[in-house]
Amino acid sequence: MKYKACLFDLDGVLVDTAVYHFQAWKILGKHFNFELSHEQNEELKGISRVESLDKILHWAHFQATQDQKGRWLKEKNETYLELISHMNPSEILPGVISFLDQLKEQGYLIALGSASKNAGIILEKTGLTNWFNAIIDGNVVTKSKPNPEVFLKGAEALGCPATACIVFEDAQAGIDAAKAGGMKVVGVGSPTILRGADKVISSFTELQVSELLLL
């Protein structure tokens, strides 16, 4: 087999949690009179909570103390956890289950490669946990995308060389991370936003596993 493993980002690829991050950041922005836009939210995809807050404070032209940052990071996460606590399998994105079925049937290994520290909770709530041979999330990585650490650790956990892995990502930082790790990458979203991917799809309903051999 040309490729042996598929590594998936979580937010915006398998499930639509981006909306909950957006809501949580918007609620937090009230502390410093800032309204996060959809365009700005796109730039937060794939990066850590700390980096996201730094970007937001920069956009808001607000100088926060370390104490404020610490409190706000905790508050944002608590808001987000409350929002995702009601998630269920209906929030799995279209075509995902069928695609994962195909991968399993054809002998691919599957790993999660997400910056989220709450990935385990989301997988449990949506019933996706059992699909994965390895879960690499924000609790076990120290470097955020576009650093390739999360995907390289995923490949290592699966026992596969990077060149035998295909990454699925909805964020530019994630595409850049996959490429930096020497992996093929399928972008999930708009080709006008996602640059450098080997293929871009709008959803998994338009992709067959057999097409991966053409990458």
Side-chain angles (χ1 to χ4, degrees):
M1 187 188 289
K2 184 179 178 183
Y3 300 111
K4 296 182 178 179
C6 290
L7 285 70
F8 292 84
D9 178 44
L10 178 61
D11 300 349
V13 174
L14 300 175
V15 294
D16 188 14
T17 50
V19 63
Y20 300 122
H21 283 295
F22 185 48
Q23 290 171 12
W25 284 125
K26 284 188 76 168
I27 291 167
L28 188 78
K30 293 175 182 177
H31 285 300
F32 38 92
N33 198 30
F34 178 71
E35 180 84 10
L36 183 69
S37 71
H38 285 283
E39 291 76 21
Q40 288 166 330
N41 191 54
E42 283 294 316
E43 293 189 41
L44 303 182
K45 288 183 176 180
I47 65 174
S48 71
R49 198 183 313 153
V50 173
E51 289 175 282
S52 294
L53 179 59
D54 284 340
K55 270 184 174 287
I56 288 169
L57 291 171
H58 173 73
W59 291 327
H61 306 292
F62 190 92
Q63 292 288 329
T65 65
Q66 286 303 118
D67 183 57
Q68 284 175 315
K69 286 184 180 182
R71 290 202 315 272
W72 289 343
L73 287 168
K74 185 170 182 282
E75 180 182 327
K76 187 270 175 180
N77 193 48
E78 287 171 351
T79 302
Y80 176 70
L81 287 174
E82 171 58 29
L83 291 169
I84 66 170
S85 68
H86 307 291
M87 288 186 76
N88 60 67
S90 72
E91 293 177 82
I92 299 171
L93 289 169
V96 166
I97 293 296
S98 173
F99 191 75
L100 292 174
D101 268 336
Q102 289 181 58
L103 289 176
K104 285 287 189 185
E105 286 169 5
Q106 296 185 37
Y108 284 85
L109 295 170
I110 303 172
L112 189 79
S114 170
S116 173
K117 290 189 174 183
N118 302 306
I121 298 169
I122 295 166
L123 291 177
E124 181 186 345
K125 290 284 182 183
T126 54
L128 284 170
T129 308
N130 291 337
W131 291 105
F132 292 90
N133 302 103
I135 295 172
I136 308 298
D137 62 15
N139 296 298
V140 296
V141 295
T142 57
K143 301 179 182 70
S144 295
K145 303 168 188 174
N147 187 288
E149 180 189 23
V150 67
F151 296 134
L152 293 176
K153 282 195 171 184
E156 182 182 4
L158 296 175
C160 292
T163 51
C165 297
I166 301 170
V167 169
F168 295 84
E169 262 288 353
D170 74 321
Q172 189 62 48
I175 289 171
D176 294 343
K179 284 298 182 182
M183 302 175 182
K184 293 290 186 180
V185 58
V186 175
V188 183
S190 167
T192 60
I193 295 174
L194 303 176
R195 300 174 304 278
D198 296 287
K199 184 179 180 67
V200 178
I201 59 172
S202 60
S203 84
F204 284 96
T205 58
E206 59 186 61
L207 183 67
Q208 297 295 314
V209 171
S210 58
E211 295 176 61
L212 298 180
L213 298 177
L214 302 176
L215 295 177

